[in-house]
């Protein structure tokens, strides 16, 4: 079921290219001071998760980026 989330801050973490698609990863802070992360593929949201501590959200986002890069094969920055 869709849920509305108000975003207070977005911080870019990483960008990588795989199979001619650009994947971007961001650390997200909500108005309720929860942290989360977002994965975008060519500017469209692929994954969005909130409800973590800042450090946990950052770790999960980096793990997702490594997983995606390993799964698709590509170049990370």
């Amino acid at each position: 079921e869709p849920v509305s989330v108000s975003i207070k801050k977005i911080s870019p973490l990483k960008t990588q290219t795989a199979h001619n698609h650009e994947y971007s990863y961001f650390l997200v802070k909500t108005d309720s001071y929860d942290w989360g992360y977002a994965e975008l593929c060519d500017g469209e949201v692929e994954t969005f998760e909130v409800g973590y501590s800042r450090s946990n959200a950052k770790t999960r986002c980096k793990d997702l980026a490594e997983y995606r890069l390993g799964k698709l094969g590509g170049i990370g920055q």
Side-chain angles (χ1 to χ4, degrees), residues 2-57:
V3 175
S4 178
V5 175
S6 296
I7 296 173
K8 183 175 182 174
K9 181 179 179 181
I10 299 174
S11 304
L13 288 180
K14 183 175 189 158
T15 300
Q16 60 193 28
T17 303
H19 292 283
N20 296 321
H21 295 286
E22 183 175 281
Y23 289 85
S24 303
Y25 299 87
F26 299 89
L27 193 60
V28 176
K29 185 177 183 181
T30 68
D31 273 353
S32 61
Y33 298 99
D34 283 329
W35 288 89
Y37 59 91
E39 174 191 36
L40 277 65
C41 176
D42 298 331
E44 297 288 327
V45 176
E46 189 83 10
T47 305
F48 182 76
E49 297 278 339
V50 293
Y52 303 104
S53 67
R54 184 183 189 280
S55 62
N56 195 358

